[in-house]
């Protein structure tokens, strides 16, 4: 909640008075953006990395769900011939869920920063909003707490993550930031063009 509220404290963009008012009939407040797809890909990539590190390569996951969820199957073989009990499989699955959540938090860093402006570069706008910076730390601290706090495996089925798994989503976070900076650059260079019509919100 804090990251979303922090945008209310963001300083106005330098060109805000040069823009025409939003047309409520044709201009949407939010549109379907490529960024949501990038966030989902970051989560699934992290999910598959953890499964692969535990022996389940992506090519062997198709059709495995029936056996994976069968409590009576306690000798399910992974890609390397190791046998997995139902309980151990579920721990890996819930760890993947936790990592998916953590990767969404990581890509939300970039999402929050790019939401600061609609047209100006982040380099122009700066990072002076202390509440936004606090919000970034707060959401990260919450994700760390939910992952590592004892008892979360029982309460929320969230399991501790290896430190390296937190970094799986970093390239996607950087990609989101670079994509949106490039999009805004094109908006400034070519106002009213195709990019503005398709991606401006």
């Amino acid at each position: 909640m804090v990251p979303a509220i922090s945008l209310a404290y963001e300083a106005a963009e330098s060109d805000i008075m040069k823009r025409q008012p939003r047309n409520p009939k044709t201009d949407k407040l939010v549109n379907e953006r490529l960024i949501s797809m990038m966030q989902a890909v970051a989560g699934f990539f992290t999910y598959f990395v953890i499964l692969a590190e535990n022996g389940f390569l992506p090519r062997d996951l198709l059709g495995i769900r029936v056996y994976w969820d069968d409590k009576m199957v306690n000798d399910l073989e992974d890609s390397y011939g190791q046998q997995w009990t139902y309980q151990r499989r579920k721990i890996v699955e819930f760890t993947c869920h936790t990592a998916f959540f953590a990767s969404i938090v990581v890509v939300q860093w970039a999402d929050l920063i790019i939401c600061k402006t609609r047209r100006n570069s982040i380099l122009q706008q700066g990072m002076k909003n202390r509440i936004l910076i606090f919000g970034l730390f707060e959401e990260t601290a919450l994700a760390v707490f939910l992952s590592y706090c004892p008892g979360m495996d029982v309460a929320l089925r969230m399991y501790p993550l290896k430190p390296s798994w937190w970094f799986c989503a970093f390239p996607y976070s950087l990609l989101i930031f670079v994509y949106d900076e490039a999009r805004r650059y094109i908006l400034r260079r070519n106002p009213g063009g195709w990019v503005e019509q398709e991606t401006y919100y």
Side-chain angles (χ1 to χ4, degrees):
M1 243 358 220
V2 175
I5 293 170
S6 72
L7 293 173
Y9 294 90
E10 188 63 37
E13 291 184 66
S14 59
D15 68 339
I16 193 76
M17 297 307 288
K18 296 177 184 175
R19 295 187 207 152
Q20 293 182 357
R22 182 180 73 86
N23 183 339
K25 293 182 180 177
T26 59
D27 297 338
K28 300 176 184 176
L29 286 176
V30 179
N31 69 351
E32 303 86 21
R33 295 187 290 169
L34 182 63
I35 291 167
S36 300
M37 185 62 72
M38 289 186 219
Q39 291 177 350
V41 170
F44 284 116
F45 175 72
T46 306
Y47 200 101
F48 287 122
V49 164
I50 294 172
L51 283 173
E53 282 190 19
N54 282 280
F56 293 95
L57 299 177
R59 68 171 182 261
D60 298 322
L61 295 176
L62 291 174
I64 201 173
R65 193 70 188 184
V66 174
Y67 303 107
W68 186 277
D69 287 335
D70 190 342
K71 293 181 180 181
M72 303 305 292
V73 176
N74 284 305
D75 58 354
L76 183 66
E77 287 191 2
D78 63 17
S79 303
Y80 301 104
Q82 302 173 97
Q83 294 185 341
W84 289 76
T85 64
Y86 173 79
Q87 185 177 4
R88 285 182 58 219
R89 291 192 308 265
K90 284 301 176 179
I91 289 172
V92 171
E93 180 183 338
F94 297 141
T95 302
C96 290
H97 296 176
T98 306
F100 194 104
F101 167 73
S103 70
I104 295 299
V105 169
V106 170
V107 292
Q108 282 291 317
W109 298 339
D111 200 32
L112 180 63
I113 292 169
I114 66 172
C115 286
K116 287 168 55 78
T117 65
R118 292 176 68 187
R119 191 178 294 269
N120 287 351
S121 169
I122 299 302
L123 303 175
Q124 292 171 304
Q125 187 76 0
M127 288 291 290
K128 298 172 187 165
N129 185 343
R130 290 183 181 159
I131 296 173
L132 183 139
I133 294 168
F134 170 75
L136 289 170
F137 282 107
E138 181 265 342
E139 77 172 332
T140 305
L142 179 61
V144 169
F145 174 80
L146 291 174
S147 177
Y148 297 107
C149 180
M152 285 299 164
D153 56 335
V154 176
L156 297 175
R157 294 180 174 173
M158 297 187 84
Y159 284 80
L161 303 175
K162 288 183 185 177
S164 62
W165 293 339
W166 286 86
F167 292 97
C168 291
F170 272 56
Y172 296 93
S173 190
L174 180 62
L175 180 63
I176 288 169
F177 180 79
V178 170
Y179 160 77
D180 212 62
E181 278 294 305
R183 183 189 66 83
R184 285 193 298 252
Y185 176 76
I186 295 169
L187 286 177
R188 292 190 304 273
R189 294 291 303 239
N190 187 18
W194 179 83
V195 173
E196 181 168 339
Q197 290 174 16
E198 294 298 321
T199 68
Y200 191 65
Y201 55 94

